[in-house]
Each structure stands twice: as structure tokens, then as C-alpha cells.
Amino acid sequence: MPPVSTDSRAAVAAELAEARAAMFALLEPLSDDELARQWSALQSPLVWDLAHIGHFEDAWIGQRVGGLQPLLEEGEELYDAFRHARHGRGELPLLDPDAARDYVSRVRDRTLAVLGGESLGGGDGDPLLENGFVFGLVLQHERQHVETMLQTISISGLRHPGGRPRPVPGAGDRLVEAGPFLLGSDDAWAYDNERPVHERELPAFRIDATPVTNGAWLEFLADGGYGRRELWSDEGWAWREADGAEAPLGWGDGTVRRFGRDEPLDPDEPLQHVSCHEAEAFARWAGARLPTEEEWEKAAKAGLLRGVGEVWEWTASPFAGYPGFRAFPYPEYSEVFFGDDYRVLRGGSWATHPSVARLSFRNWDFPVRRQIFAGLRLARDGAPIEARLGPRDRRGALEADVREGLASTPKRIPPKWHYDEEGSRLFGEITRLPEYYLTRREREILEAHAGDIAAASGADTLVELGAGTSEKTRLLLDALRAAGQLRRIVVLDVDEVTLAASVARLSAEYPEAEVQGVVGDLERHLGELPREGRRLVCFLGSSIGNFDVEHRPRFLRALRDSMEPGESFLLGVDLVKDPGRLVAAYDDAAGVTARFSLNLLSVLNDELGADFDLARWEHVPRWDADRELMDIRLRSREAQRVRIPALGLEVPFAAGEELHTEISAKFRREGIEAELREAGFEPREWWTDEAGDFGLSLSSVV
Ligand SMILES: C[S@@+](CC[C@H](N)C(=O)[O-])C[C@H]1O[C@@H](n2cnc3c(N)ncnc32)[C@H](O)[C@@H]1O
């Protein structure tokens, strides 16, 4: 949509009049002397901008469309933007303010005459007139210069009503899923650099809902951000040293100087007056980066960004033409600026007219510039996944476990290696089996008591160990949200694929919370979990039953040691019950648990190049009444040798030999509470489902 209804001359005339009134109102508080002075090498004298607006309008409408002679003979020499650099314009024999005002008014009279005589609908084939483009051009130009003049006034120290960005409520970031979107605009009045609209594909990224505030910048200052070389690019550091910058432009001690006044710094106000170099150093300090302009536009068009139009936002993108770019109506608007020297800014500031601050609009400037009303918004790559167990560690750990496990008697493989993407998928299927009561019973308890758990824990951070898809956990998250407590979610799992998908979904469903995924091993990485907030650590699904008796106390002790007094631990345990039901839960009629069990061999085949033939193995779950655990094994149907090239191994299995793959201990209340106490927890609450199949224990750390 064009910014104004272009089929109506009256509407265009009204827009022109409004822009002109705004421009004169802006200059009204200033004396002629103030208008004529060059206040800064970076900005033209205001009277230059004033007459330049007239010159531009006369060149495009009076002369180009109307075929008239220039209204000011020396206009081209004095007011063409390419003729003289800004810093020298104060030396030119410029029109004085009265003459400049008179000049722009006379130009405007000619413009209105041309407008009155022209068809705005078609323009008889002249692309300049199509949909009134040329009038949109001069209108936007004037509005852009109003902002430029406000920048000049702002840095000149002149007293002026000015303006400021408004605080933007909200926080947190948004996940933007990978996928295509349409970049650019083909609106009638869009500039050449916004065209052509075309499809772009971006990987997933995260972007903050709101721009960076003064308050956040104060933390950066307090942390010595301006003196920490490692946060700055080479170019940025060179600029900082040359400029001596130690805070955003205009900042004093708790104050900000603007429009001739020192005002108290408002921590909630969007930050402005930083260079792109400062913005980048801040982003690095915050563990983030600047968004690319494509990311910014995709998120903005999806309605995910708040505070657009308060401050311009520096992006990571140099200014370049889109594929298929064609300069129109002249190369000097955009094309001559393409290249690595300039950075794109997006969004518009409080001083930008809304018709200019469209989501596809591209502003650009040198990365050293600070007089712009520009701040930033932070972005990050994809889902926030921290890999404690990167692919190399994972491979190393798998190799060590397999080498050691196959050399022992009986042979065994730890259960965590069941969980590649397929293993996690099969586990999801298991939870829906009629025989597998565990998930349903635990859910039943959570449905009844999630509110109690939220209240008793007083937590603002939920940490889930062995999280999988965190489905039941949503009951807890909803309860924390309902209590207004939810700030942070941390999920840890060995399976990166499932974790990444889960983090993406949690981020979308709980936008108020900061969501973090940790790919890690709960036997090794508990000490490295994020410690922020008051945490409720959850270990659900009776996964604790997978530890054997000697590892369980070690795990509980390590968990206790990683927690602070006042934090809570929620543990789900499957209870001892009729062996028939227990065995059925691990040997379902549809054979899903058997497939899950055998998937362990597929993992070894896929990751270590082993040649296990799954058809030569069977799933054998047994109830061990003495130890009160389900003992799950894979039995070799015949004598066979298995090769594992990655380990240089050839492993013989006798007919009927069993490979130990998993135990699932079953619990009694007294026993598990004693173990918790032994590890330094204080059991506080105990709930079971109505049938008494499953138990949920809430402990605190003392
Ligand atoms: C039985 S599932 C339970 C999933 C979920 N918590 C629930 O209650 O439905 C076990 C989960 O723990 C993960 N897991 C198993 N061993 C692990 C280990 N040593 N470290 C981290 N995660 C592990 C698996 O990838 C899987 O997602």
C-alpha cells in the first residue's frame, strides 16, 4: 500500500502541506542566527537543509516533471547533496533563512500547480509519475530531512522541545523458525533499494522483543565494557581509541544531555546515540550479536518486535542492492552508497515520520556515526543450546562406554545410548502405550499438585534433567506461570535433536521465560547447569531408576552439591507393584519397547559402523524380585561375531548370551526418602496417583 492514497491529488497536497507545517514548526523555536550556523562538522547548517528541501523538490517536480526552468539559478551548485561535503556547507554563500523560507514556498507553489495538472493514476508511461511516485519521493525526502535537522539541533546544544523514545514494556526474545519469507517492498512509494520483493530463506534465529535500554547499557558500563578490548572489533577499537568514547553521546553521570537540557537518565528508555561499533561491542558483551537486516525484517513482518519506530536499530548488514536491483529514479539515491563502508539501520526513530518508518525501509550510515537516534536490538543464533557434550565428546564418550562395556562380564552398554533421535521418538511412542502406565500416572499427580509444587518451591526457574520433550513438565510451567513466577527454563538431555526441537517449542509457548537447552550428560555436567534464579530441579519419568545402586547415591550427592539452600528437587519414581504389570510395561503387545531396546544396536551401527544384525537379537525384560528392578537385556539368538570398525573390535557373542542394556529400579517411599536424606536433601512432600502406582517426591535443599 502506498503511504497515502495516490489516486487523489487532494490527499497528496494535504500530505505535502502537513510535512511542510511540521518542518516549519521544527525550526520555529530557533533564531535566524541559530539556523545559519554550522554547529557540527557532521551536520549541515539548518538553513542548508531548508533550502536543499526546496532544491530537491524543484529539481524533480518543477523541472523534471513540469519542464520549468530552475527557480534558483545557483541551486544546483549550493544545494545538491553531492557538490559539497557537510562540513564545508557553512562556508558557502547560502540563502539566508528568510530567503530560504521564501524559496521553498515558491517551489511549493509550482509543485502544487504541477500536481493540479497531472494525472497521478497512470502518468502516461512516465515511471516517475506512476502512482504519484515523484510526489512520494519529495514528501519522504522532506520528512527525512526533518529528522536530520532534529539530529543537528540535538547535538548542537540548542534549547528545543525535541523529543525522545518511549519506554517499551516487555522483555525476552523470540524464536524465528527457519524458513522463507518475502524481503523488500513493491509499494508504490517504496525506494529502489527496497525492491524487488523477493523470497529469502533464513536459518532459525532469536531476536529480542524490545530494543536495548539505557538500564542495560549502564550494566555494560559498570562491567567496564568500553575498556575491554576483547569485546570490540579491530575497527571498533580503533574508533573508540581515536574518539575517546566512554559512554553514549550526551551521557553524563546519571544524566543525558539533549536539546539543551541535562535530564536524568531513564533506565527504561530505549538507548540511542551509539555508533555501530558500540552496538557491536555491547552485543558481544551480552553474548549476542546484531541481527542482519533480513532477520530484522522477517521478525518485524511477523509482528514479533516491539518498540519499532522508537530508535533506529543498527544491523550487521552492509548496504547492498537486492538481487535484481535497478536504480530508480537516479543512482544517487542508493546505488552510489552500496558497499562495505555503510551499515544498514532499520525501523525508524521517534523522530521518523511513520510513513518513512515502514518495515522494509533501509537507512544506512557509516558505522562510526553517533548523532543518529540509533540504538540496537540483540539477536542470537537459532535455539539457545549449550553443548556440554559436543559431537566430538559424545563420540568419545560412546566409544569409551562401548569399549569398556563389551570387555566386561557380563557385557553391557549404558542406557543413555538408547537416545538418538529415533530412540527419543520411540520413547515418545512408549509413553502412549496402554501397558506403559508410568507417564499417565505421573501426569495425573502433576495435574493434581502442580500448583502446590509451584507454591512450595517458590521457584522462578525450572530445570529439567533428562527432559526429552518436556511434555508433562508443561503442567509445572503452567502452574509457575499462573503464579506469576516463571522467569527461566533450563532443559538438559543427551539427545541434541530432541532437545533443540523442545527448546524451540518451549520458547514459543512461554515467551515470558528465557529458555536454555543444555546438551549434556547428567552423570557429568550437573555442576555446569546455569545457576541463575531460584530453581526447581525436576527429574521425572522415574529415569532415576536407570542408575544402578552404586551410581544412584553418587548422582544424588552430585545434584545436591550443584544446588543452593532453599532450592527444590522434584523426583518422579515408579513404585514396586505387581510383577505382571511391570513386565507388561516393558514388553508391550505392539512390540514398541522391544524396538526401543534394539535401537541401541542401531545407534552402535550408525555411529561406530558396527554390524549388529537386529534380527539376531531379542528383547528380554525380567523382574528381579530381590533387587526390585526391571532388568532389560538383549539376547543373542545364536553364536555370532560383531565387528565394530571404529573401535577396531570384533566381539564374539555365544548363543543365548545376554547384553545388559538397562535397568529400571522400582521404589518404595521409605527407601527413596532415606536415599534423598543421605544425599543432603530434606523430603517435604510425597504424592501418589490414586492407584498408588507412581510417586512424586518434593525435597528441599537444606
Ligand atoms: C525415560 S526418558 C524420560 C523423558 C521425560 N523426562 C519423561 O519423563 O517423559 C529419559 C530421558 O533422559 C535422557 N537421558 C538418558 N540418560 C541421560 C544422561 N546420562 N544424561 C542426560 N540425559 C539423559 C534421554 O535422552 C531421555 O530424553
Side-chain angles (χ1 to χ4, degrees):
M1 282 290 295
V4 297
S5 153
T6 49
D7 55 7
S8 152
R9 293 175 189 142
V12 172
E15 286 276 315
L16 287 167
E18 190 193 299
R20 182 55 49 89
M23 199 260 290
F24 280 142
L26 175 82
L27 300 181
E28 206 271 329
L30 303 172
S31 71
D32 281 2
D33 184 44
E34 289 167 339
L35 292 179
R37 244 175 77 191
Q38 174 118 30
W39 294 96
S40 153
L42 292 174
Q43 302 286 102
S44 317
L46 292 160
V47 76
W48 185 92
D49 287 282
L50 173 59
H52 164 77
I53 289 169
H55 169 70
F56 184 88
E57 182 172 326
D58 192 46
W60 283 104
I61 297 182
Q63 300 170 47
R64 173 70 174 75
V65 178
L68 303 168
Q69 289 303 304
L71 204 51
L72 180 68
E73 208 177 312
E74 61 276 30
E76 190 69 12
E77 165 58 24
L78 293 177
Y79 298 113
D80 179 86
F82 288 86
R83 210 51 79 91
H84 304 280
R86 281 184 180 180
H87 61 81
R89 289 174 186 165
E91 309 293 316
L92 300 173
L94 302 177
L95 297 181
D96 66 32
D98 264 342
R101 278 187 281 261
D102 177 60
Y103 170 55
V104 299
S105 300
R106 284 187 294 119
V107 171
R108 178 54 52 89
D109 290 342
R110 296 211 315 188
T111 297
L112 294 176
V114 173
L115 177 64
E118 278 303 330
S119 151
L120 295 179
D124 298 333
D126 184 346
L128 261 185
L129 286 172
E130 207 171 304
N131 290 312
F133 176 85
V134 76
F135 296 98
L137 181 70
V138 301
L139 185 55
Q140 294 184 74
H141 179 258
E142 183 157 346
R143 287 187 157 143
Q144 287 169 255
H145 269 276
V146 164
E147 177 161 358
T148 308
M149 290 193 280
L150 261 169
Q151 290 170 10
T152 308
I153 299 167
S154 149
I155 61 170
S156 66
L158 289 170
R159 275 188 88 85
H160 191 277
R164 55 159 73 184
R166 290 163 304 183
V168 185
D173 62 2
R174 304 280 176 266
L175 178 74
V176 184
E177 308 266 10
F181 76 108
L182 291 178
L183 182 70
S185 170
D186 54 9
D187 284 357
W189 288 6
Y191 282 125
D192 57 0
N193 64 50
E194 297 165 73
R195 302 169 186 274
V197 179
H198 62 291
E199 191 173 279
R200 281 288 173 103
E201 183 100 28
L202 293 176
F205 63 96
R206 309 186 62 81
I207 187 161
D208 277 4
T210 55
V212 167
T213 60
N214 287 340
W217 204 273
L218 283 170
E219 289 176 35
F220 175 63
L221 286 182
D223 204 28
Y226 278 80
R228 288 170 53 183
R229 172 67 185 89
E230 75 276 12
L231 299 175
W232 298 74
S233 66
D234 292 346
E235 207 189 323
W237 187 252
W239 167 80
R240 202 210 66 81
E241 292 210 298
D243 184 277
E246 292 191 359
L249 193 66
W251 278 34
D253 190 11
T255 59
V256 57
R257 180 156 191 83
R258 58 184 161 205
F259 299 110
R261 289 176 298 272
D262 284 319
E263 297 177 359
L265 196 70
D266 177 355
D268 295 329
E269 193 179 285
L271 166 97
Q272 54 177 357
H273 290 308
V274 289
S275 68
C276 189
H277 297 310
E278 290 165 282
E280 280 181 328
F282 177 91
R284 192 163 304 156
W285 171 78
R289 60 174 172 78
L290 297 181
T292 64
E293 63 165 324
E294 292 86 358
E295 288 172 336
W296 190 96
E297 188 168 324
K298 182 176 183 184
K301 284 178 169 171
L304 299 173
L305 306 186
R306 292 198 217 142
V308 170
E310 296 301 336
V311 290
W312 286 102
E313 299 174 32
W314 286 109
T315 73
S317 304
F319 188 43
Y322 292 157
F325 169 85
R326 280 194 356 220
F328 177 78
Y330 63 136
E332 287 78 11
Y333 182 71
S334 312
E335 194 175 18
V336 296
F337 298 98
F338 289 164
D340 289 340
D341 292 347
Y342 295 91
R343 284 297 189 88
V344 174
L345 300 105
R346 290 300 202 108
S349 78
W350 56 269
T352 316
H353 190 271
S355 66
V356 176
R358 53 185 175 267
L359 300 183
S360 56
F361 188 87
R362 307 171 74 198
N363 189 359
W364 66 93
D365 213 324
F366 292 112
V368 296
R369 289 284 195 253
R370 311 173 87 201
Q371 78 270 32
I372 314 165
F373 305 115
L376 70 154
R377 183 185 301 265
L378 299 177
R380 295 170 185 81
D381 291 343
I385 298 281
E386 212 178 296
R388 292 293 167 200
L389 201 60
R392 288 237 311 281
D393 317 310
R394 178 186 155 86
R395 173 67 183 255
L398 174 65
E399 287 181 3
D401 280 357
V402 173
R403 198 183 284 284
E404 189 195 324
L406 293 185
S408 32
T409 316
K411 299 188 179 76
R412 56 182 162 76
I413 307 281
K416 64 179 165 231
W417 302 113
H418 281 95
Y419 295 94
D420 65 347
E421 190 180 358
E422 175 65 1
S424 293
R425 194 192 65 72
L426 285 167
F427 179 74
E429 236 182 273
I430 289 173
T431 63
R432 293 183 287 277
L433 291 170
E435 296 93 336
Y436 197 83
Y437 58 87
L438 290 81
T439 307
R440 279 187 298 279
R441 295 296 192 243
E442 190 175 36
R443 169 179 289 278
E444 183 186 322
I445 308 172
L446 287 169
E447 275 165 0
H449 298 292
D452 302 332
I453 296 165
S457 67
D460 60 15
T461 300
L462 184 140
V463 178
E464 183 171 18
L465 308 177
T469 54
S470 293
E471 265 168 53
K472 286 168 300 201
T473 317
R474 283 167 168 70
L475 293 165
L476 290 168
L477 293 170
D478 290 345
L480 290 170
R481 167 187 273 176
Q485 289 169 221
L486 184 63
R487 302 277 171 282
R488 220 168 281 103
I489 305 171
V490 180
V491 280
L492 173 134
D493 205 284
V494 270
D495 173 15
E496 177 165 7
V497 177
T498 304
L499 190 73
S502 171
V503 164
R505 276 196 304 274
L506 289 168
S507 307
E509 287 172 43
Y510 300 93
E512 73 271 42
E514 186 186 312
V515 182
Q516 201 178 343
V518 180
V519 185
D521 185 336
L522 45 82
E523 291 184 77
R524 289 168 51 201
H525 302 115
L526 289 179
E528 295 169 52
L529 284 170
R531 298 203 170 207
E532 292 102 325
R534 180 166 171 164
R535 298 177 304 171
L536 166 65
V537 177
C538 306
F539 195 28
L540 302 178
S542 204
S543 297
I544 191 166
N546 293 145
F547 289 112
D548 57 35
V549 249
E550 76 215 45
H551 281 105
R552 213 155 62 207
R554 207 186 297 169
F555 164 76
L556 286 173
R557 170 53 70 178
L559 178 62
R560 161 66 190 80
D561 290 346
S562 74
M563 294 173 69
E564 303 293 331
E567 294 188 325
S568 308
F569 176 41
L570 184 70
L571 177 65
V573 287
D574 192 17
L575 302 177
V576 175
K577 59 179 62 61
D578 165 43
R581 286 181 62 215
L582 284 168
V583 173
Y586 295 87
D587 199 10
D588 62 289
V592 184
T593 37
R595 289 216 301 282
F596 174 77
S597 206
L598 287 163
N599 184 60
L600 178 64
L601 303 182
S602 302
V603 170
L604 304 188
N605 287 350
D606 293 347
E607 301 199 23
L608 301 178
D611 64 354
F612 282 99
D613 175 358
L614 272 52
R616 298 163 90 181
W617 294 86
E618 63 184 318
H619 167 62
V620 186
R622 281 197 207 90
W623 172 241
D624 181 332
D626 293 338
R627 296 191 292 158
E628 293 193 324
L629 54 81
M630 284 299 304
D631 188 347
I632 297 155
R633 306 178 186 184
L634 287 168
R635 181 160 58 210
S636 177
R637 292 180 192 271
E638 57 203 78
Q640 55 179 315
R641 301 182 79 80
V642 175
R643 292 185 323 121
I644 309 181
L647 302 178
L649 286 181
E650 193 168 303
V651 188
F653 288 92
E657 183 176 349
E658 289 175 349
L659 174 63
H660 292 232
T661 59
E662 187 181 350
I663 60 162
S664 180
K666 303 302 161 187
F667 297 85
R668 298 174 188 273
R669 179 178 178 179
E670 320 75 69
I672 190 63
E673 288 191 343
E675 287 185 46
L676 285 164
R677 277 198 195 89
E678 184 64 27
F681 290 102
E682 183 54 45
R684 299 261 183 224
E685 302 280 354
W686 172 264
W687 298 283
T688 68
D689 57 293
E690 217 158 278
D693 282 340
F694 202 92
L696 210 50
S697 152
L698 183 67
S699 308
S700 49
V701 175
V702 284

